[in-house]
Structure formats: structure tokens, C-alpha cells
Amino acid sequence: MNMFKLTMVIAITILLAALIMISQVPADLQLPIHWNSAGVVDKYANAHTALLFPPAVTIALIAVIFLLRFFEPRKENLSQSKKAVYSITFAISLLLGTLELGYIAIICGAEINMQLLVVFMVGISLMIIGNFLSKTKSNYFIGIRTPWALQNDENWRKTHRLSGRLFMITGFIVGTACWIIRTEHLTFLIVGLVLPSAIAPSIYSWWLWKKNESNVSEE
């Protein structure tokens, strides 16, 4: 079973789970959906809305991936990146599925640290995404789509090789450190590691372009 089929299984499973739970919980039940930097819940949502959010986003993601073939100008590159695209989609759906399971656990009375669970799965998802980013071909929808990478295949390759390594390293650190540090520091862990890992490849892509332009000028 490929990653895209697994994503569909996750979508169907959590949708059915959400519908079953919705039929059993009071309409006014509130579930946590956001935590502040200290790890304290600062925003709640109606249980029906919270339960339907993960499957809705997963289904929307599947629809987008299915429709990409009709909108992507570089269809051949997208086709060659199919395994990577499906794996990245799976990683995101895995995170959303875990969020759904966390909500169900809370409704069933389990004592769980949702913020810790989500941060851990962010780490796992980053490792999966990082492992496949370097396997993508130049396209307009998936990857580090800087203007410099899009206009040069070598720039794209080097940028995604770097981003893949950064995401894997960041994912491993996040997935490991979240069990060691205090809950109130989890937000800083995400901001301090994930954001730089996402921004650095764009800067690197620009630097590669600038370096290439300088070489061309010298010639």
C-alpha cells in the first residue's frame, strides 16, 4: 500500500471516528485547540468543530493532491515526484490523525498532554518530510518554491538537499527534546528550531543564485 492510500485510510478512519464521537458528546462540550507559550490552554472550540477539523483538512489535502495534475505546469516533474508528494501528504495526515486521537482520548477521560503529543508528532512529520524533500523535482506546489530554485534545476536540487537534511535533523531534535524539556518550553522549541529550518533553505537558494550570477558576470 503506497503512502497516498495510507493517507486515504487515515482520512476515512478519523472521519468515521469523528462522526461517532459527535453523536455521543454534548453539543456544548469544549475542547482545547491552542496553548500559550507556558503550555496553558488559552483557546477552546466546540467539540463538534474540533473533532471535524482534522478529517476535513486531511480530505481537503487529498483533494488538492488529486487536482494538482490538472493545474501544475510542470506535470512531468510532478509525476516524477509522486512518491515524495505522497509521503509528505502522509506525514501531514499522520499529524492530523494524531490530533484527532488526542481529542477522542480527552473526551474518553484520559489524562494526556496534548501540546506534548502534537509537538512530538511535528518532529516525526518533519523527519518524514525531510527524508523526501530532496526527492522532489522542480514544481510550483510542493517544496521550497523560491523564484531562484524554480528557474534553475541545480538550485532546486541543492536547496532541497539542504532543506531535507535540516528538516530531518530538526524533526529528530524536536521529537526527542520534547520529552525532556518542560512543557512551558515546547513553544520555544518549535519556534527556535522549526522556523530557522524553514527559512534557511530560502536564503541558501538566493545565495546559490547570487553566486551563479557572479560567476556568469566574471565570464
Side-chain angles (χ1 to χ4, degrees), residues 31-92:
L31 290 175
I33 61 171
H34 191 269
W35 295 260
N36 61 25
S37 59
V40 178
V41 179
D42 59 4
K43 190 174 183 179
Y44 290 83
N46 178 280
H48 293 187
T49 301
L51 286 166
L52 285 174
F53 176 77
V57 174
T58 306
I59 292 171
L61 183 61
I62 290 172
V64 169
I65 297 303
F66 177 78
L67 293 172
L68 278 185
R69 70 188 74 178
F70 302 108
F71 299 102
E72 170 59 56
R74 299 175 179 176
K75 291 182 174 60
E76 185 176 345
N77 283 1
L78 184 65
S79 179
Q80 293 176 7
S81 306
K82 188 177 296 184
K83 184 176 180 180
V85 172
Y86 288 172
S87 298
I88 292 171
T89 305
F90 169 74
I92 298 172

Side-chain angles (χ1 to χ4, degrees), residues 148-194:
W148 314 289
L150 286 170
Q151 73 176 16
N152 184 285
D153 287 343
E154 183 66 11
N155 188 305
W156 178 281
R157 187 184 67 80
K158 290 182 178 180
T159 297
H160 284 75
R161 184 174 60 186
L162 172 67
S163 62
R165 291 173 179 173
L166 287 177
F167 274 42
M168 289 186 70
I169 294 171
T170 299
F172 177 77
I173 295 174
V174 169
T176 304
C178 66
W179 300 102
I180 303 172
I181 66 175
R182 297 171 63 88
T183 300
E184 56 265 30
H185 296 152
L186 290 175
T187 300
F188 299 108
L189 178 66
I190 293 292
V191 174
L193 292 178
V194 177

